[in-house]
Amino acid sequence: MSTGDQLSGLCVDVLGSSAAVAPSAAWAVRHRDAILRALRKVLGRQGVDSLVWMPAERLLRTAEGWSGALGDGDEPLWAPIVENGVRFAPHPELRQKTGFYADQRESRRLVRSIAAGKSVLDLCCYTGGFALSAAAGGAERVLGVDSSQPAVDAARRNAALNGLDQAALFARADVKKLVAAAREPVRAEDSAHSEDGSPASVAAAVHSAAWDLVILDPPKLAPSRGALERAARVYAEYNAWAMGLVRPGGLLMTCTCSGAMTQAGLFMGTLQEAARRAGREIAVLRIAGAAPDHTVAAGYPEGNYLTNILLHVL
């Protein structure tokens, strides 16, 4: 729950037997004790044993001007959770959202349903949500890439949790550098050693084949409307490159979690520009947002932040 449920500034994700409580507004920190008491009463009936207090410190200090103590919660009792038949261990120590992006749940379900026999590339994979959903769905080849080594390590542990550590490989690489590497020819010696984790080998692995399904889910590129123009250029560049990785007739699932981009309605136009740059034709198969528990209040459309588009790339 967050902005769409009349509790703007408070996000609570129930992850197995623990709940991550992430305040981003001063009022929530001020009323921490009352919030935790209420959550213990309600969530305790659902088998939640610990409430992990995860305040968004930078936002609270800068945007909210909070100068006092931020408080703490229970010691976490993190246990693997199951989503669409795939097991994941929450990783709040990575400090991205609450350690698990539950908002893409339905889109991961779709990926699992269409992945059988496909080669799948998951860019900005974080802890492997899309990649492992594809592997569980019978994908023939899966590679997940992220710029964060701790996230890649967590993805590998999640793969092992599901017995998919041979079916899904993960490597560290920065998307910006991979885009730059696309301008350079792939050398045979790099391609032959594509699993050693070096930047050249990861680039070789990404660029050496046309993929049946590419997933591109970058971090927020437009934190505000003032950043839209620059963000649109970067989204166009990233997506043009990603389209070039898709085999003719394949699929690209591309996302923006930038509320400014979603609310301005610019993402589709950005994808059209990307297709023009890539010399590809695209058709929209599906447009989705966050999972149903991420509600959007009718009087607060600014709460609509996530856009997930599935494209047929010719």
Side-chain angles (χ1 to χ4, degrees), residues 203-225:
V206 168
H207 294 126
S208 62
W211 299 83
D212 297 315
L213 170 60
V214 174
I215 298 143
L216 176 61
D217 187 14
K220 184 185 293 185
L221 298 178
S224 67
R225 288 188 174 272

Side-chain angles (χ1 to χ4, degrees), residues 222 224-225 228-229 231-232 235 256-273 284 287-288 301-302 304-309:
S224 67
R225 288 188 174 272
L228 272 176
E229 185 176 345
Y235 277 120
T256 174
C257 61
S258 299
M261 178 67 66
T262 291
Q263 293 152 29
L266 296 179
F267 195 43
M268 187 61 72
T270 300
L271 297 179
Q272 291 170 340
E273 170 61 17
V284 177
I287 301 177
E302 294 85 353
N304 186 22
Y305 68 99
L306 178 65
T307 302
N308 179 304
I309 299 180

Side-chain angles (χ1 to χ4, degrees), residues 107-134:
S107 292
R108 287 192 289 264
R109 184 197 304 273
L110 175 65
V111 164
R112 177 170 182 167
S113 73
I114 64 176
K118 289 182 171 62
S119 57
V120 179
L121 175 63
D122 183 6
L123 298 165
C124 306
C125 68
Y126 191 46
T127 58
F130 282 112
L132 293 176
S133 296

Side-chain angles (χ1 to χ4, degrees), residues 20-226:
V21 185
S24 58
W27 74 264
V29 179
R30 187 175 295 113
H31 296 287
R32 167 189 164 277
D33 292 345
I35 289 169
L36 294 180
R37 279 198 305 271
L39 288 173
R40 286 193 179 97
K41 181 177 180 180
V42 173
L43 297 180
R45 303 170 190 149
Q46 302 174 26
V48 173
D49 298 316
S50 66
L51 301 177
V52 185
W53 187 250
M54 299 177 60
E57 181 170 4
R58 187 172 64 176
L59 187 60
L60 285 161
R61 300 295 191 200
T62 56
E64 293 285 299
W66 183 262
S67 59
L70 294 173
D72 53 20
D74 303 330
E75 285 297 314
L77 300 173
W78 298 117
I81 60 175
V82 180
E83 178 195 85
N84 304 324
V86 183
R87 302 178 76 204
F88 296 98
H91 290 279
E93 74 278 3
L94 298 180
R95 307 307 298 177
Q96 292 192 37
K97 207 177 181 191
T98 56
F100 186 73
Y101 284 93
D103 52 1
Q104 291 276 31
R105 181 173 63 253
E106 299 305 318
S107 292
R108 287 192 289 264
R109 184 197 304 273
L110 175 65
V111 164
R112 177 170 182 167
S113 73
I114 64 176
K118 289 182 171 62
S119 57
V120 179
L121 175 63
D122 183 6
L123 298 165
C124 306
C125 68
Y126 191 46
T127 58
F130 282 112
L132 293 176
S133 296
E140 185 176 274
R141 178 190 179 202
V142 179
L143 174 62
V145 177
D146 198 274
S147 62
S148 165
Q149 188 61 54
V152 168
D153 293 340
R156 289 170 176 160
R157 291 194 294 272
N158 283 334
L161 270 178
N162 292 276
L164 295 172
D165 40 337
Q166 299 301 311
L169 302 178
F170 295 93
R172 180 186 178 188
D174 189 289
V175 166
K176 288 188 289 187
K177 294 179 180 179
L178 290 176
V179 172
R183 305 186 187 102
E184 302 295 331
V186 175
R187 300 181 302 170
E189 58 266 35
D190 289 338
S191 183
H193 301 283
S194 62
E195 295 175 18
D196 66 8
S198 68
S201 68
V202 176
V206 168
H207 294 126
S208 62
W211 299 83
D212 297 315
L213 170 60
V214 174
I215 298 143
L216 176 61
D217 187 14
K220 184 185 293 185
L221 298 178
S224 67
R225 288 188 174 272

